[in-house]
Amino acid sequence: MDAIAASSANGATSTLPKSSSSTSLASAMSSDKDAGSTSPTLCEQTGPLDKEIDNSHSREIALLDLSPEDLDISHALGDRTSKTIECLRINRCRMDGATFASLVGALCAYELPCLHTVDISQNRVGGAQAGAALAKLLLHAPAVRFLSLGWNQLSLGDLKDIVPFGSGTHSIQCLDLRANPLGIPKSKSAKDNLWVGALVAAMPHLTHVQLAQATIDDSLLVTLLYALVTQSTSLEYIGLEWLGLGGRLATVRSIMSGLIPSDPKAPVRSLHLNLAANNLGDSGVKIITESGAVLSSLTLACNFITERGTRMLAKWLPTSGLTLLELSDNYFGDQGIAALLATDGQYSADDAPRTRLTSLGLNSCCLTDTSLRMITEALAYNWAPLTSLRILRNNRMSPGAKVNL
């Protein structure tokens, strides 16, 4: 029988029969990035910065690892015309809000019709002055779609100024607020947090929002996420990694309740929720699976999920709408896989797929050859229409192990 072969990190191999929709397993040659989130990379640098490289034709202004007093937009632009600049990167320069405001003043002296990416991550930008400067820049360069503000000192309130007067909106699609002290609202009243909805409404084209490692009050987080889910119709990805939600399970319950569809018959929304590294445990999984939430992709990597948690996921999957489930770095072993693949015993290969999963991540889950056998048997009985299965770094699998359907 023709087969497609793939290897785990230690050489274990699975073989799956070919079909009209062939299944691929992530191999040792694959990078972890393939199994990661759908979050975008803003103006990614492909190599170390070389100050001697001729950038006369570059469409990027890059100011990296400089002292604040050395930041000079005119010098960085050189002889290039500003009308061709597409990306602005100012990283690791210890730039504060006042310095950023000064740079924005200099930038606004130039025409920037093609500027689509602004990346000022890894600085010290924060405060009302920074928010006002950001609003000024976005008004001057209305084509900006990718805005990376991670690892600064911004509060969510600092961004109030970017809400335009009247009915105007911004073109921002990807917003990165990772590792910022987004803050604690002055009031717990939902009425007093209406500005959050106005802030989200000012960015109607949002597709990706990254909040990993941010410091944010529970009520402000729930208000922000509710506004995003209800107002951003194009939203595809919300990153909530490393927020310590395992100790804030009531907040998890509120987040998931915001994902319950108002119309049960409506198509499943194409939304990826990333809850990795939150120490959710089985208690968090219980809240998620009992919430009634419907979404297309869910990342639960590195959350101390056990066999009990995978059993709850197995019951939820048929109605969840999930097509992608990432469970890597949860050490539930073969028992967890057996629970995840469990059926009522009345399922056959002639039935429709039990779940909608096309992608399943099981890297570093302490799996053995037994798990490979159970997975391939489940696929033979049409458990899921998988096209991607990631099983890297499961060192208990024997080298060269094969499982044939």
Side-chain angles (χ1 to χ4, degrees):
M1 179 183 293
D2 291 335
I4 300 167
S7 303
S8 67
N10 63 339
T13 304
S14 298
T15 57
L16 302 176
K18 286 183 177 178
S19 65
S20 57
S21 176
S22 59
T23 302
S24 63
L25 303 184
S27 70
M29 299 298 292
S30 301
S31 67
D32 290 342
K33 185 177 179 180
D34 297 332
S37 72
T38 58
S39 57
T41 300
L42 304 183
C43 234
E44 185 173 0
Q45 185 180 358
T46 56
L49 181 67
D50 187 346
K51 296 181 180 179
E52 301 303 320
I53 292 178
D54 178 15
N55 67 349
S56 59
H57 301 291
S58 172
R59 298 185 178 184
E60 174 186 81
I61 294 177
L63 299 169
L64 311 176
D65 301 294
L66 299 176
S67 298
E69 57 270 19
D70 293 331
L71 297 174
D72 188 332
I73 294 296
S74 177
H75 181 267
L77 184 60
D79 296 330
R80 294 174 292 170
T81 173
S82 63
K83 294 181 179 180
T84 65
I85 297 301
E86 297 179 354
C87 180
L88 170 67
R89 298 179 66 229
I90 308 173
N91 306 134
R92 301 180 301 279
C93 294
R94 304 189 304 281
M95 174 176 65
D96 60 14
T99 304
F100 177 58
S102 176
L103 284 177
V104 168
L107 276 167
C108 289
Y110 300 93
E111 293 184 64
L112 298 167
C114 296
L115 184 65
H116 59 67
T117 298
V118 174
D119 181 356
I120 59 168
S121 57
Q122 302 179 69
N123 283 289
R124 300 173 182 174
V125 176
Q129 190 175 14
L134 187 59
K136 182 179 180 180
L137 178 59
L138 292 175
L139 184 63
H140 183 72
V144 172
R145 303 192 303 275
F146 305 99
L147 184 59
S148 182
L149 306 173
W151 288 273
N152 275 291
Q153 296 177 6
L154 287 162
S155 72
L156 201 59
D158 293 340
L159 304 182
K160 286 183 181 180
D161 284 339
I162 76 171
V163 178
F165 293 105
S167 58
T169 59
H170 299 296
S171 302
I172 299 169
Q173 296 176 1
C174 301
L175 178 63
D176 183 356
L177 292 171
R178 287 177 290 181
N180 273 288
L182 296 181
I184 300 175
K186 295 180 180 179
S187 171
K188 301 293 183 180
S189 170
K191 181 179 179 181
D192 293 335
N193 288 332
L194 291 177
W195 62 270
V196 177
L199 177 63
V200 172
M203 299 177 282
H205 307 292
L206 276 176
T207 60
H208 292 69
V209 178
Q210 300 184 73
L211 301 172
Q213 295 180 270
T215 304
I216 183 169
D217 174 84
D218 290 346
S219 64
L220 190 56
L221 176 60
V222 171
T223 301
L224 175 60
L225 294 181
Y226 180 79
L228 287 169
V229 171
T230 57
Q231 297 178 208
S232 301
T233 57
S234 301
L235 194 64
E236 298 176 6
Y237 175 87
I238 302 176
L240 301 178
E241 312 96 302
W242 295 99
L243 294 186
L245 294 176
R248 305 155 69 182
L249 291 180
T251 300
V252 176
R253 184 175 289 106
S254 297
I255 291 171
M256 298 309 297
S257 66
L259 297 172
I260 300 174
S262 55
D263 180 5
K265 297 182 180 179
V268 176
R269 184 171 185 173
S270 180
L271 177 63
H272 183 162
L273 182 63
N274 191 338
L275 293 172
N278 271 293
N279 297 337
L280 293 176
D282 295 335
S283 297
V285 172
K286 185 175 188 291
I287 291 173
I288 292 170
T289 57
E290 294 180 353
S291 66
V294 176
L295 64 162
S296 64
S297 305
L298 178 63
T299 294
L300 292 174
C302 197
N303 267 301
F304 299 98
I305 297 171
T306 71
E307 173 189 353
R308 178 170 169 261
T310 60
R311 184 175 295 109
M312 289 184 282
L313 286 169
K315 294 178 181 179
W316 179 57
L317 281 174
T319 58
S320 67
L322 286 182
T323 58
L324 180 150
L325 178 60
E326 180 61 65
L327 293 173
S328 296
D329 297 293
N330 289 292
Y331 308 126
F332 42 68
D334 295 339
Q335 296 88 347
I337 292 298
L340 182 67
L341 302 175
T343 66
D344 55 14
Q346 300 177 355
Y347 208 73
S348 72
D350 296 328
D351 294 324
R354 178 173 175 81
T355 74
R356 300 181 185 181
L357 287 182
T358 59
S359 180
L360 178 61
L362 297 170
N363 297 332
S364 296
C365 289
C366 296
L367 308 184
T368 71
D369 299 347
T370 301
S371 288
L372 280 180
R373 176 179 55 78
M374 289 188 290
I375 291 170
T376 50
E377 287 178 355
L379 293 179
Y381 279 92
N382 215 7
W383 178 74
L386 284 185
T387 58
S388 176
L389 174 62
R390 297 174 293 282
I391 52 172
L392 300 175
R393 303 188 305 277
N394 283 291
N395 296 326
R396 295 183 181 183
M397 292 181 183
S398 58
K402 291 185 177 181
V403 179
N404 293 305
L405 290 178

